[in-house]
Amino acid sequence: MKRLLLITAGAAVALSSALVMAQDSPESLLPPGFERPKAARPAAQPQPQPGSTPVIQPLPSEGTATRTAAPRTLPNGQRIPTLKEIEAMSPEELDELLGLKPKFDIPPAARRSMSQVGVLGAGEGGFSPGSLGGQDARLVGRLLDGNKGRLVSRWGHILLRRALVSRLDAPQGMNPADFAGQRASLLIRMGEGPLARSVVQDVDAANYTPKLTDAALDAYAFTGDITGACPMLAVQGGARKDVDWRVLRAICASFQGDGAAGMAQLDRLIGPNGWKRTDGLLAMKYAGAAGKVRRAVKVEWDDVEGMTPWRYALSIAVGLEPPEKLMKDAARRYTLVNATAPMLSLQSRALAGDKAAGQGILSSAAMVDLYSQIYAQPDIEGDLATMAETLRTAYVGETPSERMAAIRKLWDGAPDAEARYSRQVLTAYAAARMPVSEDFADDAPELIASMLAAGLDRNALLWTAQAEAGSQAWALLALAAPQRAPVEAGPLYSFYDDDPSDDYRKSAFLLAGLYGLNRLDAGLAKEFADKLKVDLNRRSNWTRLIDQAADANNQALVAMLAGVGMQGNSWELMTPLHLYHIVSALNRVGLGAEARMIAAEAVARG
């Protein structure tokens, strides 16, 4: 009841008056002396005047309904709660009940426009703000909601991420808040939690829609930033009634100084109709750390099965890492969380980096920085410490042979193909430091692929003289070069003859990439496609859409359509037809660098 002292005088009078009226008898509302009027003496009946007819008031008939009292409500129309219900309310719920909760959490001068929501401006590398403004909202919505977030291409991931975080106007007929929510949801599916959080935070909480609210909660869970949701919860308090929402409100109550009420609410939210005990204890541990009221909480994992977003978010937020048995079969999203979670150990982040770097979440510089921190920690031992030392040798070894041996050791130590490509991202700048020499000709294809994984095309092109025509090194450079004369038939067929991939997949990707970049004569392209039994002229709804977007020179729309066409967890799922249209469309709208890197990556990893 302490919170009632903070209620404004007018609201308190309104509430107390309403409660009295609801609970006391009607007589108690009258002034003293008027509780029950005394029976009046019967008045003398007037005698009718001659010629007049007395007027008699008719009695109500038995079928006439009696008027019932209207139910007592507050001025805002809500039912008057009981005293017991009021005692259980949080301060925010009381403010909501009395209509005292603010609609905005920032002053009018600081409120942001709903146009051009995003974090990357056109002058910073983002796409044009009006790119999607004139597009059909249904099409854009399907492109965002229909993308599962896992792309086969690292460079495709980077391109799509750039489009999603750009400052863009919403398509016609789409609520700008919903547009931000759909973009943030896709970023979360891509493993880009911090960027998703940045997008949702670019919208004032008062403008949130249910779709944006859901995306924001996912973003805060992904990043382990539980209290980051508190400003949104303060303004959107009644938006949801589910148990997750109520738990977060209780945590925020503790964070805002009302720890006793927050803990009391958490107690009530643990049980059959609420959170499981382990999850509730995690919430209490976090609330105690964030607020002033603390409890001794011991989290036990014995009876816990599986992993949920909030369970994991609260665990890492309080400095706990769930047992390995729970993480063994956990979804990939939790590994991607680890890659960018600053509260986790360096070991956990490095292990996650073997997936995150290859997918495009971590850059080469970020990976090097991570292992540099591991190298600087003398208490870290084992394989990761050895990797850090090996990486240092790859960069500063005394001789080129010593550096090359260290680079090879990092590549060959990867547990699978995805991790191997992540290690190539890690060693990109070390590969660029290697001298161009015949002594390392056998390593040239992977050195070039490593450099191109980080976009170091100029360094890679230094190997042109050492790349034998028709080799994989030659193919990668033929695709990666900014300017290139048309490729002749001889090297193309030599590459085909030495292609070790299943069903000549690398040759098909080389064909698609070269033809999409206009580096292959149409006649030779058709001849080579026939040999590979590839039909680049086949049409579908997707090919028509991406070609139309390229004809309109719409970079953002091309990037989103390219993202749809690159979905999958392996390059085996990519078709030459899709690759051709993606590379061609990107090249036509001025995204030639991205087109070249995607084409080269396809041949390197295909």
mmCIF file with all atom_site columns, all heavy atoms in Angstrom, residues 379-401:
data_model
loop_
_atom_site.group_PDB
_atom_site.id
_atom_site.type_symbol
_atom_site.label_atom_id
_atom_site.label_alt_id
_atom_site.label_comp_id
_atom_site.label_asym_id
_atom_site.label_entity_id
_atom_site.label_seq_id
_atom_site.pdbx_PDB_ins_code
_atom_site.Cartn_x
_atom_site.Cartn_y
_atom_site.Cartn_z
_atom_site.occupancy
_atom_site.B_iso_or_equiv
_atom_site.pdbx_formal_charge
_atom_site.auth_seq_id
_atom_site.auth_comp_id
_atom_site.auth_asym_id
_atom_site.auth_atom_id
_atom_site.pdbx_PDB_model_num
ATOM 1   N N   . ASP A 1 379 ? 45.756 -17.682 -17.874 1.00 0.00 ? 379 ASP A N   1
ATOM 2   C CA  . ASP A 1 379 ? 45.022 -18.753 -17.207 1.00 0.00 ? 379 ASP A CA  1
ATOM 3   C C   . ASP A 1 379 ? 44.214 -19.603 -18.169 1.00 0.00 ? 379 ASP A C   1
ATOM 4   O O   . ASP A 1 379 ? 43.623 -20.613 -17.759 1.00 0.00 ? 379 ASP A O   1
ATOM 5   C CB  . ASP A 1 379 ? 44.096 -18.172 -16.140 1.00 0.00 ? 379 ASP A CB  1
ATOM 6   C CG  . ASP A 1 379 ? 43.108 -17.167 -16.711 1.00 0.00 ? 379 ASP A CG  1
ATOM 7   O OD1 . ASP A 1 379 ? 43.460 -16.505 -17.710 1.00 0.00 ? 379 ASP A OD1 1
ATOM 8   O OD2 . ASP A 1 379 ? 41.988 -17.040 -16.176 1.00 0.00 ? 379 ASP A OD2 1
ATOM 9   N N   . ILE A 1 380 ? 44.159 -19.232 -19.459 1.00 0.00 ? 380 ILE A N   1
ATOM 10  C CA  . ILE A 1 380 ? 43.446 -20.040 -20.456 1.00 0.00 ? 380 ILE A CA  1
ATOM 11  C C   . ILE A 1 380 ? 44.432 -21.042 -21.047 1.00 0.00 ? 380 ILE A C   1
ATOM 12  O O   . ILE A 1 380 ? 45.465 -20.673 -21.601 1.00 0.00 ? 380 ILE A O   1
ATOM 13  C CB  . ILE A 1 380 ? 42.844 -19.159 -21.562 1.00 0.00 ? 380 ILE A CB  1
ATOM 14  C CG1 . ILE A 1 380 ? 41.804 -18.206 -20.971 1.00 0.00 ? 380 ILE A CG1 1
ATOM 15  C CG2 . ILE A 1 380 ? 42.200 -20.025 -22.641 1.00 0.00 ? 380 ILE A CG2 1
ATOM 16  C CD1 . ILE A 1 380 ? 41.159 -17.296 -21.990 1.00 0.00 ? 380 ILE A CD1 1
ATOM 17  N N   . GLU A 1 381 ? 44.087 -22.311 -20.930 1.00 0.00 ? 381 GLU A N   1
ATOM 18  C CA  . GLU A 1 381 ? 44.955 -23.368 -21.430 1.00 0.00 ? 381 GLU A CA  1
ATOM 19  C C   . GLU A 1 381 ? 44.178 -24.276 -22.376 1.00 0.00 ? 381 GLU A C   1
ATOM 20  O O   . GLU A 1 381 ? 42.982 -24.099 -22.587 1.00 0.00 ? 381 GLU A O   1
ATOM 21  C CB  . GLU A 1 381 ? 45.515 -24.179 -20.249 1.00 0.00 ? 381 GLU A CB  1
ATOM 22  C CG  . GLU A 1 381 ? 46.331 -23.346 -19.269 1.00 0.00 ? 381 GLU A CG  1
ATOM 23  C CD  . GLU A 1 381 ? 46.790 -24.168 -18.077 1.00 0.00 ? 381 GLU A CD  1
ATOM 24  O OE1 . GLU A 1 381 ? 46.290 -25.316 -17.922 1.00 0.00 ? 381 GLU A OE1 1
ATOM 25  O OE2 . GLU A 1 381 ? 47.629 -23.674 -17.299 1.00 0.00 ? 381 GLU A OE2 1
ATOM 26  N N   . GLY A 1 382 ? 44.871 -25.234 -22.954 1.00 0.00 ? 382 GLY A N   1
ATOM 27  C CA  . GLY A 1 382 ? 44.213 -26.192 -23.819 1.00 0.00 ? 382 GLY A CA  1
ATOM 28  C C   . GLY A 1 382 ? 44.251 -25.806 -25.284 1.00 0.00 ? 382 GLY A C   1
ATOM 29  O O   . GLY A 1 382 ? 45.117 -25.037 -25.739 1.00 0.00 ? 382 GLY A O   1
ATOM 30  N N   . ASP A 1 383 ? 43.291 -26.344 -26.045 1.00 0.00 ? 383 ASP A N   1
ATOM 31  C CA  . ASP A 1 383 ? 43.290 -26.184 -27.500 1.00 0.00 ? 383 ASP A CA  1
ATOM 32  C C   . ASP A 1 383 ? 43.163 -24.723 -27.919 1.00 0.00 ? 383 ASP A C   1
ATOM 33  O O   . ASP A 1 383 ? 43.811 -24.293 -28.882 1.00 0.00 ? 383 ASP A O   1
ATOM 34  C CB  . ASP A 1 383 ? 42.141 -26.992 -28.108 1.00 0.00 ? 383 ASP A CB  1
ATOM 35  C CG  . ASP A 1 383 ? 42.332 -28.490 -27.947 1.00 0.00 ? 383 ASP A CG  1
ATOM 36  O OD1 . ASP A 1 383 ? 43.486 -28.916 -27.699 1.00 0.00 ? 383 ASP A OD1 1
ATOM 37  O OD2 . ASP A 1 383 ? 41.342 -29.231 -28.058 1.00 0.00 ? 383 ASP A OD2 1
ATOM 38  N N   . LEU A 1 384 ? 42.327 -23.956 -27.218 1.00 0.00 ? 384 LEU A N   1
ATOM 39  C CA  . LEU A 1 384 ? 42.135 -22.559 -27.608 1.00 0.00 ? 384 LEU A CA  1
ATOM 40  C C   . LEU A 1 384 ? 43.405 -21.751 -27.385 1.00 0.00 ? 384 LEU A C   1
ATOM 41  O O   . LEU A 1 384 ? 43.744 -20.871 -28.191 1.00 0.00 ? 384 LEU A O   1
ATOM 42  C CB  . LEU A 1 384 ? 40.966 -21.943 -26.844 1.00 0.00 ? 384 LEU A CB  1
ATOM 43  C CG  . LEU A 1 384 ? 39.581 -22.431 -27.257 1.00 0.00 ? 384 LEU A CG  1
ATOM 44  C CD1 . LEU A 1 384 ? 38.505 -21.835 -26.367 1.00 0.00 ? 384 LEU A CD1 1
ATOM 45  C CD2 . LEU A 1 384 ? 39.300 -22.070 -28.718 1.00 0.00 ? 384 LEU A CD2 1
ATOM 46  N N   . ALA A 1 385 ? 44.103 -22.016 -26.308 1.00 0.00 ? 385 ALA A N   1
ATOM 47  C CA  . ALA A 1 385 ? 45.375 -21.328 -26.072 1.00 0.00 ? 385 ALA A CA  1
ATOM 48  C C   . ALA A 1 385 ? 46.380 -21.688 -27.164 1.00 0.00 ? 385 ALA A C   1
ATOM 49  O O   . ALA A 1 385 ? 47.124 -20.821 -27.661 1.00 0.00 ? 385 ALA A O   1
ATOM 50  C CB  . ALA A 1 385 ? 45.918 -21.691 -24.695 1.00 0.00 ? 385 ALA A CB  1
ATOM 51  N N   . THR A 1 386 ? 46.389 -22.972 -27.568 1.00 0.00 ? 386 THR A N   1
ATOM 52  C CA  . THR A 1 386 ? 47.282 -23.398 -28.648 1.00 0.00 ? 386 THR A CA  1
ATOM 53  C C   . THR A 1 386 ? 46.912 -22.715 -29.961 1.00 0.00 ? 386 THR A C   1
ATOM 54  O O   . THR A 1 386 ? 47.789 -22.285 -30.719 1.00 0.00 ? 386 THR A O   1
ATOM 55  C CB  . THR A 1 386 ? 47.214 -24.927 -28.803 1.00 0.00 ? 386 THR A CB  1
ATOM 56  O OG1 . THR A 1 386 ? 47.576 -25.546 -27.565 1.00 0.00 ? 386 THR A OG1 1
ATOM 57  C CG2 . THR A 1 386 ? 48.152 -25.391 -29.906 1.00 0.00 ? 386 THR A CG2 1
ATOM 58  N N   . MET A 1 387 ? 45.607 -22.605 -30.221 1.00 0.00 ? 387 MET A N   1
ATOM 59  C CA  . MET A 1 387 ? 45.161 -21.924 -31.436 1.00 0.00 ? 387 MET A CA  1
ATOM 60  C C   . MET A 1 387 ? 45.586 -20.459 -31.446 1.00 0.00 ? 387 MET A C   1
ATOM 61  O O   . MET A 1 387 ? 45.999 -19.922 -32.478 1.00 0.00 ? 387 MET A O   1
ATOM 62  C CB  . MET A 1 387 ? 43.644 -22.010 -31.576 1.00 0.00 ? 387 MET A CB  1
ATOM 63  C CG  . MET A 1 387 ? 43.128 -23.276 -32.207 1.00 0.00 ? 387 MET A CG  1
ATOM 64  S SD  . MET A 1 387 ? 41.354 -23.167 -32.545 1.00 0.00 ? 387 MET A SD  1
ATOM 65  C CE  . MET A 1 387 ? 41.306 -21.823 -33.715 1.00 0.00 ? 387 MET A CE  1
ATOM 66  N N   . ALA A 1 388 ? 45.496 -19.816 -30.289 1.00 0.00 ? 388 ALA A N   1
ATOM 67  C CA  . ALA A 1 388 ? 45.891 -18.415 -30.206 1.00 0.00 ? 388 ALA A CA  1
ATOM 68  C C   . ALA A 1 388 ? 47.379 -18.252 -30.501 1.00 0.00 ? 388 ALA A C   1
ATOM 69  O O   . ALA A 1 388 ? 47.801 -17.317 -31.206 1.00 0.00 ? 388 ALA A O   1
ATOM 70  C CB  . ALA A 1 388 ? 45.546 -17.859 -28.831 1.00 0.00 ? 388 ALA A CB  1
ATOM 71  N N   . GLU A 1 389 ? 48.183 -19.150 -29.973 1.00 0.00 ? 389 GLU A N   1
ATOM 72  C CA  . GLU A 1 389 ? 49.620 -19.101 -30.243 1.00 0.00 ? 389 GLU A CA  1
ATOM 73  C C   . GLU A 1 389 ? 49.906 -19.378 -31.721 1.00 0.00 ? 389 GLU A C   1
ATOM 74  O O   . GLU A 1 389 ? 50.761 -18.727 -32.342 1.00 0.00 ? 389 GLU A O   1
ATOM 75  C CB  . GLU A 1 389 ? 50.344 -20.119 -29.366 1.00 0.00 ? 389 GLU A CB  1
ATOM 76  C CG  . GLU A 1 389 ? 50.296 -19.806 -27.874 1.00 0.00 ? 389 GLU A CG  1
ATOM 77  C CD  . GLU A 1 389 ? 50.919 -20.900 -27.032 1.00 0.00 ? 389 GLU A CD  1
ATOM 78  O OE1 . GLU A 1 389 ? 51.385 -21.909 -27.632 1.00 0.00 ? 389 GLU A OE1 1
ATOM 79  O OE2 . GLU A 1 389 ? 50.951 -20.766 -25.800 1.00 0.00 ? 389 GLU A OE2 1
ATOM 80  N N   . THR A 1 390 ? 49.170 -20.335 -32.287 1.00 0.00 ? 390 THR A N   1
ATOM 81  C CA  . THR A 1 390 ? 49.354 -20.658 -33.708 1.00 0.00 ? 390 THR A CA  1
ATOM 82  C C   . THR A 1 390 ? 48.957 -19.474 -34.579 1.00 0.00 ? 390 THR A C   1
ATOM 83  O O   . THR A 1 390 ? 49.634 -19.177 -35.579 1.00 0.00 ? 390 THR A O   1
ATOM 84  C CB  . THR A 1 390 ? 48.526 -21.893 -34.079 1.00 0.00 ? 390 THR A CB  1
ATOM 85  O OG1 . THR A 1 390 ? 48.877 -22.981 -33.230 1.00 0.00 ? 390 THR A OG1 1
ATOM 86  C CG2 . THR A 1 390 ? 48.775 -22.290 -35.524 1.00 0.00 ? 390 THR A CG2 1
ATOM 87  N N   . LEU A 1 391 ? 47.871 -18.812 -34.225 1.00 0.00 ? 391 LEU A N   1
ATOM 88  C CA  . LEU A 1 391 ? 47.437 -17.647 -34.996 1.00 0.00 ? 391 LEU A CA  1
ATOM 89  C C   . LEU A 1 391 ? 48.486 -16.539 -34.935 1.00 0.00 ? 391 LEU A C   1
ATOM 90  O O   . LEU A 1 391 ? 48.748 -15.866 -35.936 1.00 0.00 ? 391 LEU A O   1
ATOM 91  C CB  . LEU A 1 391 ? 46.100 -17.133 -34.459 1.00 0.00 ? 391 LEU A CB  1
ATOM 92  C CG  . LEU A 1 391 ? 45.514 -15.923 -35.188 1.00 0.00 ? 391 LEU A CG  1
ATOM 93  C CD1 . LEU A 1 391 ? 45.172 -16.276 -36.640 1.00 0.00 ? 391 LEU A CD1 1
ATOM 94  C CD2 . LEU A 1 391 ? 44.270 -15.412 -34.473 1.00 0.00 ? 391 LEU A CD2 1
ATOM 95  N N   . ARG A 1 392 ? 49.079 -16.352 -33.771 1.00 0.00 ? 392 ARG A N   1
ATOM 96  C CA  . ARG A 1 392 ? 50.128 -15.335 -33.654 1.00 0.00 ? 392 ARG A CA  1
ATOM 97  C C   . ARG A 1 392 ? 51.301 -15.668 -34.565 1.00 0.00 ? 392 ARG A C   1
ATOM 98  O O   . ARG A 1 392 ? 51.844 -14.793 -35.256 1.00 0.00 ? 392 ARG A O   1
ATOM 99  C CB  . ARG A 1 392 ? 50.598 -15.245 -32.199 1.00 0.00 ? 392 ARG A CB  1
ATOM 100 C CG  . ARG A 1 392 ? 51.608 -14.115 -31.954 1.00 0.00 ? 392 ARG A CG  1
ATOM 101 C CD  . ARG A 1 392 ? 51.961 -14.018 -30.488 1.00 0.00 ? 392 ARG A CD  1
ATOM 102 N NE  . ARG A 1 392 ? 52.808 -12.871 -30.244 1.00 0.00 ? 392 ARG A NE  1
ATOM 103 C CZ  . ARG A 1 392 ? 54.127 -12.853 -30.418 1.00 0.00 ? 392 ARG A CZ  1
ATOM 104 N NH1 . ARG A 1 392 ? 54.746 -13.965 -30.836 1.00 0.00 ? 392 ARG A NH1 1
ATOM 105 N NH2 . ARG A 1 392 ? 54.831 -11.755 -30.184 1.00 0.00 ? 392 ARG A NH2 1
ATOM 106 N N   . THR A 1 393 ? 51.661 -16.950 -34.608 1.00 0.00 ? 393 THR A N   1
ATOM 107 C CA  . THR A 1 393 ? 52.747 -17.376 -35.505 1.00 0.00 ? 393 THR A CA  1
ATOM 108 C C   . THR A 1 393 ? 52.365 -17.142 -36.965 1.00 0.00 ? 393 THR A C   1
ATOM 109 O O   . THR A 1 393 ? 53.206 -16.759 -37.795 1.00 0.00 ? 393 THR A O   1
ATOM 110 C CB  . THR A 1 393 ? 53.075 -18.853 -35.278 1.00 0.00 ? 393 THR A CB  1
ATOM 111 O OG1 . THR A 1 393 ? 53.416 -19.058 -33.905 1.00 0.00 ? 393 THR A OG1 1
ATOM 112 C CG2 . THR A 1 393 ? 54.221 -19.301 -36.161 1.00 0.00 ? 393 THR A CG2 1
ATOM 113 N N   . ALA A 1 394 ? 51.081 -17.372 -37.301 1.00 0.00 ? 394 ALA A N   1
ATOM 114 C CA  . ALA A 1 394 ? 50.632 -17.164 -38.685 1.00 0.00 ? 394 ALA A CA  1
ATOM 115 C C   . ALA A 1 394 ? 50.810 -15.719 -39.126 1.00 0.00 ? 394 ALA A C   1
ATOM 116 O O   . ALA A 1 394 ? 50.991 -15.449 -40.317 1.00 0.00 ? 394 ALA A O   1
ATOM 117 C CB  . ALA A 1 394 ? 49.170 -17.572 -38.807 1.00 0.00 ? 394 ALA A CB  1
ATOM 118 N N   . TYR A 1 395 ? 50.802 -14.805 -38.185 1.00 0.00 ? 395 TYR A N   1
ATOM 119 C CA  . TYR A 1 395 ? 50.945 -13.386 -38.523 1.00 0.00 ? 395 TYR A CA  1
ATOM 120 C C   . TYR A 1 395 ? 52.384 -12.893 -38.397 1.00 0.00 ? 395 TYR A C   1
ATOM 121 O O   . TYR A 1 395 ? 52.837 -12.076 -39.212 1.00 0.00 ? 395 TYR A O   1
ATOM 122 C CB  . TYR A 1 395 ? 50.033 -12.535 -37.626 1.00 0.00 ? 395 TYR A CB  1
ATOM 123 C CG  . TYR A 1 395 ? 48.613 -12.456 -38.115 1.00 0.00 ? 395 TYR A CG  1
ATOM 124 C CD1 . TYR A 1 395 ? 47.660 -13.377 -37.699 1.00 0.00 ? 395 TYR A CD1 1
ATOM 125 C CD2 . TYR A 1 395 ? 48.212 -11.465 -39.015 1.00 0.00 ? 395 TYR A CD2 1
ATOM 126 C CE1 . TYR A 1 395 ? 46.347 -13.318 -38.159 1.00 0.00 ? 395 TYR A CE1 1
ATOM 127 C CE2 . TYR A 1 395 ? 46.908 -11.398 -39.478 1.00 0.00 ? 395 TYR A CE2 1
ATOM 128 C CZ  . TYR A 1 395 ? 45.985 -12.329 -39.045 1.00 0.00 ? 395 TYR A CZ  1
ATOM 129 O OH  . TYR A 1 395 ? 44.691 -12.274 -39.516 1.00 0.00 ? 395 TYR A OH  1
ATOM 130 N N   . VAL A 1 396 ? 53.097 -13.353 -37.385 1.00 0.00 ? 396 VAL A N   1
ATOM 131 C CA  . VAL A 1 396 ? 54.415 -12.750 -37.105 1.00 0.00 ? 396 VAL A CA  1
ATOM 132 C C   . VAL A 1 396 ? 55.545 -13.767 -37.093 1.00 0.00 ? 396 VAL A C   1
ATOM 133 O O   . VAL A 1 396 ? 56.626 -13.493 -36.560 1.00 0.00 ? 396 VAL A O   1
ATOM 134 C CB  . VAL A 1 396 ? 54.380 -11.993 -35.756 1.00 0.00 ? 396 VAL A CB  1
ATOM 135 C CG1 . VAL A 1 396 ? 53.357 -10.881 -35.787 1.00 0.00 ? 396 VAL A CG1 1
ATOM 136 C CG2 . VAL A 1 396 ? 54.096 -12.942 -34.585 1.00 0.00 ? 396 VAL A CG2 1
ATOM 137 N N   . GLY A 1 397 ? 55.296 -14.965 -37.662 1.00 0.00 ? 397 GLY A N   1
ATOM 138 C CA  . GLY A 1 397 ? 56.375 -15.950 -37.746 1.00 0.00 ? 397 GLY A CA  1
ATOM 139 C C   . GLY A 1 397 ? 57.579 -15.390 -38.481 1.00 0.00 ? 397 GLY A C   1
ATOM 140 O O   . GLY A 1 397 ? 57.457 -14.537 -39.374 1.00 0.00 ? 397 GLY A O   1
ATOM 141 N N   . GLU A 1 398 ? 58.763 -15.880 -38.142 1.00 0.00 ? 398 GLU A N   1
ATOM 142 C CA  . GLU A 1 398 ? 59.996 -15.300 -38.681 1.00 0.00 ? 398 GLU A CA  1
ATOM 143 C C   . GLU A 1 398 ? 60.144 -15.538 -40.179 1.00 0.00 ? 398 GLU A C   1
ATOM 144 O O   . GLU A 1 398 ? 60.658 -14.687 -40.903 1.00 0.00 ? 398 GLU A O   1
ATOM 145 C CB  . GLU A 1 398 ? 61.202 -15.874 -37.932 1.00 0.00 ? 398 GLU A CB  1
ATOM 146 C CG  . GLU A 1 398 ? 61.275 -15.438 -36.467 1.00 0.00 ? 398 GLU A CG  1
ATOM 147 C CD  . GLU A 1 398 ? 62.536 -15.941 -35.797 1.00 0.00 ? 398 GLU A CD  1
ATOM 148 O OE1 . GLU A 1 398 ? 63.357 -16.591 -36.494 1.00 0.00 ? 398 GLU A OE1 1
ATOM 149 O OE2 . GLU A 1 398 ? 62.708 -15.695 -34.587 1.00 0.00 ? 398 GLU A OE2 1
ATOM 150 N N   . THR A 1 399 ? 59.680 -16.693 -40.670 1.00 0.00 ? 399 THR A N   1
ATOM 151 C CA  . THR A 1 399 ? 59.846 -17.005 -42.087 1.00 0.00 ? 399 THR A CA  1
ATOM 152 C C   . THR A 1 399 ? 58.487 -17.267 -42.722 1.00 0.00 ? 399 THR A C   1
ATOM 153 O O   . THR A 1 399 ? 57.533 -17.673 -42.040 1.00 0.00 ? 399 THR A O   1
ATOM 154 C CB  . THR A 1 399 ? 60.728 -18.250 -42.273 1.00 0.00 ? 399 THR A CB  1
ATOM 155 O OG1 . THR A 1 399 ? 60.049 -19.391 -41.725 1.00 0.00 ? 399 THR A OG1 1
ATOM 156 C CG2 . THR A 1 399 ? 62.072 -18.073 -41.571 1.00 0.00 ? 399 THR A CG2 1
ATOM 157 N N   . PRO A 1 400 ? 58.387 -17.040 -44.050 1.00 0.00 ? 400 PRO A N   1
ATOM 158 C CA  . PRO A 1 400 ? 57.117 -17.351 -44.726 1.00 0.00 ? 400 PRO A CA  1
ATOM 159 C C   . PRO A 1 400 ? 56.696 -18.804 -44.555 1.00 0.00 ? 400 PRO A C   1
ATOM 160 O O   . PRO A 1 400 ? 55.505 -19.098 -44.407 1.00 0.00 ? 400 PRO A O   1
ATOM 161 C CB  . PRO A 1 400 ? 57.417 -17.017 -46.191 1.00 0.00 ? 400 PRO A CB  1
ATOM 162 C CG  . PRO A 1 400 ? 58.495 -15.998 -46.138 1.00 0.00 ? 400 PRO A CG  1
ATOM 163 C CD  . PRO A 1 400 ? 59.336 -16.384 -44.959 1.00 0.00 ? 400 PRO A CD  1
ATOM 164 N N   . SER A 1 401 ? 57.656 -19.719 -44.568 1.00 0.00 ? 401 SER A N   1
ATOM 165 C CA  . SER A 1 401 ? 57.324 -21.134 -44.417 1.00 0.00 ? 401 SER A CA  1
ATOM 166 C C   . SER A 1 401 ? 56.723 -21.411 -43.046 1.00 0.00 ? 401 SER A C   1
ATOM 167 O O   . SER A 1 401 ? 55.771 -22.193 -42.903 1.00 0.00 ? 401 SER A O   1
ATOM 168 C CB  . SER A 1 401 ? 58.575 -21.997 -44.615 1.00 0.00 ? 401 SER A CB  1
ATOM 169 O OG  . SER A 1 401 ? 59.065 -21.864 -45.931 1.00 0.00 ? 401 SER A OG  1
#
